[in-house]
Amino acid sequence: MTNSSPSSYDEMLDADGSVRAAYAGYCKWYEEQPPDLLRRKKSEAEAFFRRTGITFNVYGAEDAEERLIPFDMVPRIITANQWRKLARGIEQRVRALNAFLHDLYHRQEIVRSGRFPERLLKGNAAFLPEMSGFTPPGGVYTHIVGIDLVRTGEDDFMVLEDNARTPSGVSYMLENRETMMAMFPELFTRVRVREVSDYPRRLARSLAACAPPAFDASGGRKPVVAVLTPGIYNSAYFEHAFLADQMGAELVEGSDLRVENGRIAMRTTRGWKPIDVLYRRVDDEYLDPLTFNPDSVLGVSGIMDVYRAGGITIANAPGTGIADDKAIYSFMPEIVEFYTGEKPILQNVPTWRCSEPEALAYVLEHLAELVVKEVHGSGGYGMLIGPTSSRKEIAAFEAKLRARPDNYIAQPTLSLSTVPILAKAGLAPRHVDLRPFVLVSPNGVDITPGGLTRVALKKGSLVVNSSQGGGTKDSWVLDD
């Protein structure tokens, strides 16, 4: 068994080639298996994914067909001790994000203190003046959060991005685990792995705890939760339908909803039924044509008025997308310390804000060495990876950067950790990141042990996004 990468931290093997403790149980099992077992199981898993409909759409793809997300059969494994430290850091960061959002839409004390520049809010499309002075039910803005992490050493985990608007991918985390348990049930009797399958139940419970003031619990009625999807052509539609089904919630589109008696009601076979909590997977711009984009047919006319009047909870709260801004990300160490009084447990990746003249000059001089991203970019698009780009690509990006420097940030090209994948010649190292999923309610912060590991399946690639050739893995957090 070989899995070496001289420039990256190898999560499975020590520098001397010995197996790290996290992978000891798995590697012992692997060595006992017939050589072709994992390949046969991989074909079975792909057939299962096709039958189940575990696909995604790529916007702008010429063929516009649904694609399978490549699934690698070798798990990514994290020890219980490593996870405990990660969980503390994630909780600290998510609590700070929620406090930051409340402050931005109220007194803006962090701006008054001089620790955060007001210019990052002015003209920022993700900052919604309509939320100013309004506190969501329970004081929760970020009901579901995805924190993207990268690892560069034994205990060196860094936050790459915060996803506080409409984080996706949790359905793949769940299906990856179900697939692994179906393919290799005996493996889970030998290696004790913490459970993730109860996430839908925990999500339903967390959302229900955020019921709005209009909710009447008398008579023992439970809050009514629904999932709002843009429809079947959305790239994450599988996940919307999956989570609604697993939670026992209704999956609705904007055309299924209307304002009735100061509430948002959904169409049912028995008439219109009020909704208490709406888990929306529609962006802010399309949520309410009376408040935002008047041409939107994806949202509900008047929902913002009902929301502000306490008639419904919207998860995540409108305006949380400001926390996804990559320029604001660069201030997260200050944000964490300002709202918690503590030093950040999890560090940021060093970041140059190209809106600042000195930083821009440095970035322009070192474009071939850096990763440059749009502040509102996602999915791996709109970015430059200097070390893997041609001179022509760098020159073209330089022109865009000079034209709109405030639209970009830059970061060093990190030596991301590697984990093994099943390649043609056996196990081979590939770069990964990790997206743990966090639930927030008035009852506290709930972090699912593990998350979604995305893997760059191409040798040497750092791009893990499924829309650009990446795949996924089951993420194991070992039990004590």
Side-chain angles (χ1 to χ4, degrees):
M1 181 185 298
T2 61
N3 178 27
S4 60
S5 178
S7 59
S8 299
Y9 176 79
D10 190 313
E11 295 192 19
M12 188 178 77
L13 298 180
D14 277 320
D16 63 2
S18 60
V19 175
R20 298 187 191 276
Y23 280 83
Y26 176 82
C27 287
K28 184 177 180 181
W29 171 87
Y30 177 88
E31 296 287 4
E32 297 170 359
Q33 306 311 308
D36 65 338
L37 174 70
L38 265 67
R39 299 195 188 287
R40 286 190 284 107
K41 292 294 186 180
K42 182 178 181 180
S43 298
E44 291 179 25
E46 288 178 354
F48 171 75
F49 276 34
R50 288 192 185 279
R51 288 195 306 271
T52 310
I54 306 174
T55 60
F56 70 101
N57 296 316
V58 180
Y59 293 126
E62 292 181 6
D63 52 14
E65 67 178 4
E66 292 186 339
R67 303 181 187 177
L68 285 179
I69 291 186
F71 172 62
D72 184 69
M73 307 295 290
V74 184
R76 195 254 189 95
I77 307 176
I78 299 169
T79 66
N81 282 335
Q82 289 166 345
W83 181 252
R84 275 190 281 269
K85 178 182 177 181
L86 274 178
R88 289 196 302 271
I90 293 167
E91 178 171 353
Q92 179 196 55
R93 192 175 183 98
V94 169
R95 288 189 183 279
L97 278 172
N98 198 67
F100 172 63
L101 286 164
H102 185 275
D103 187 27
L104 286 190
Y105 289 111
H106 289 81
R107 290 184 53 80
Q108 298 189 353
E109 295 288 356
I110 195 169
V111 175
R112 297 167 187 257
S113 73
R115 302 284 294 273
F116 183 84
E118 188 178 14
R119 61 178 171 78
L120 290 184
L121 303 180
K122 289 184 176 180
N124 192 322
F127 180 76
L128 300 186
E130 295 83 358
M131 289 293 291
S132 295
F134 173 71
T135 301
V140 178
Y141 288 80
T142 55
H143 306 79
I144 303 102
V145 189
I147 304 292
D148 289 351
L149 302 167
V150 293
R151 187 177 184 182
T152 57
E154 178 65 22
D155 291 310
D156 300 325
F157 288 87
M158 306 178 81
V159 177
L160 185 64
E161 290 182 7
D162 300 295
N163 298 277
R165 182 167 29 203
T166 52
S168 62
V170 73
S171 60
Y172 303 113
M173 172 191 80
L174 296 169
E175 290 288 4
N176 288 350
R177 176 60 57 83
E178 183 177 344
T179 301
M180 286 292 287
M181 294 185 76
M183 298 293 112
F184 312 109
E186 77 288 352
L187 178 54
F188 287 86
T189 65
R190 295 178 53 167
V191 182
R192 295 177 59 192
V193 181
R194 292 189 61 184
E195 182 183 3
V196 298
S197 61
D198 60 346
Y199 175 86
R201 178 177 57 80
R202 293 158 72 172
L203 173 61
R205 184 176 61 212
S206 184
L207 290 173
C210 298
F215 171 67
D216 181 6
S218 64
R221 184 176 76 84
K222 294 182 179 179
V224 176
V225 178
V227 179
L228 175 63
T229 177
I232 61 173
Y233 298 108
N234 184 267
S235 61
Y237 179 75
F238 165 79
E239 177 159 298
H240 307 165
F242 176 90
L243 287 176
D245 178 66
Q246 293 292 306
M247 284 195 293
E250 293 294 332
L251 181 68
V252 297
E253 298 183 28
S255 58
D256 300 319
L257 306 176
R258 74 181 188 188
V259 177
E260 188 172 86
N261 299 322
R263 304 289 300 280
I264 296 299
M266 62 181 172
R267 182 189 291 111
T268 73
T269 56
R270 297 184 178 182
W272 293 90
K273 181 178 181 179
I275 295 171
D276 299 301
V277 181
L278 189 65
Y279 177 19
R280 55 83 177 234
R281 299 298 293 264
V282 172
D283 288 343
D284 291 347
E285 181 184 359
Y286 304 103
L287 193 56
D288 185 344
L290 296 183
T291 303
F292 306 119
N293 184 346
D295 298 323
S296 173
V297 295
L298 301 178
V300 188
S301 295
I303 191 173
M304 285 298 292
D305 289 336
V306 174
Y307 181 50
R308 285 188 291 249
I312 193 168
T313 295
I314 300 175
N316 286 350
T320 53
I322 191 72
D324 291 7
D325 185 299
K326 294 179 178 61
I328 287 178
Y329 156 91
S330 67
F331 284 93
M332 277 306 295
E334 291 89 346
I335 290 170
V336 170
E337 189 167 356
F338 186 83
Y339 294 106
T340 68
E342 304 165 347
K343 294 291 185 182
I345 297 171
L346 294 174
Q347 299 301 314
N348 267 24
V349 176
T351 302
W352 290 271
R353 297 182 283 266
C354 297
S355 58
E356 300 172 0
E358 288 187 11
L360 176 62
Y362 178 88
V363 171
L364 289 171
E365 187 176 343
H366 297 85
L367 266 182
E369 307 163 19
L370 301 173
V371 176
V372 188
K373 303 176 182 178
E374 291 183 346
V375 294
H376 293 301
S378 63
Y381 294 102
M383 64 186 291
L384 175 82
I385 301 179
T388 62
S389 299
S390 66
R391 290 184 179 180
K392 184 178 179 181
E393 290 169 332
I394 291 174
F397 208 93
E398 179 181 347
K400 292 194 291 185
L401 187 53
R402 289 184 182 277
R404 290 195 61 195
D406 59 333
N407 193 46
Y408 297 94
I409 56 96
Q411 296 172 331
T413 307
L414 295 178
S415 181
L416 305 185
S417 65
T418 62
V419 300
I421 69 162
L422 184 65
K424 290 182 178 179
L427 298 185
R430 294 293 187 271
H431 296 292
V432 292
D433 73 0
L434 176 67
R435 177 176 292 180
F437 293 95
V438 189
L439 303 175
V440 185
S441 76
N443 297 332
V445 177
D446 182 9
I447 307 171
T448 301
L452 178 66
T453 289
R454 301 184 298 176
V455 54
L457 295 173
K458 297 176 183 177
K459 185 177 181 179
S461 174
L462 297 173
V463 181
V464 300
N465 304 85
S466 56
S467 57
Q468 300 198 51
T472 66
K473 286 175 164 290
D474 190 14
S475 306
W476 289 8
V477 173
L478 298 182
D479 218 343
D480 283 317

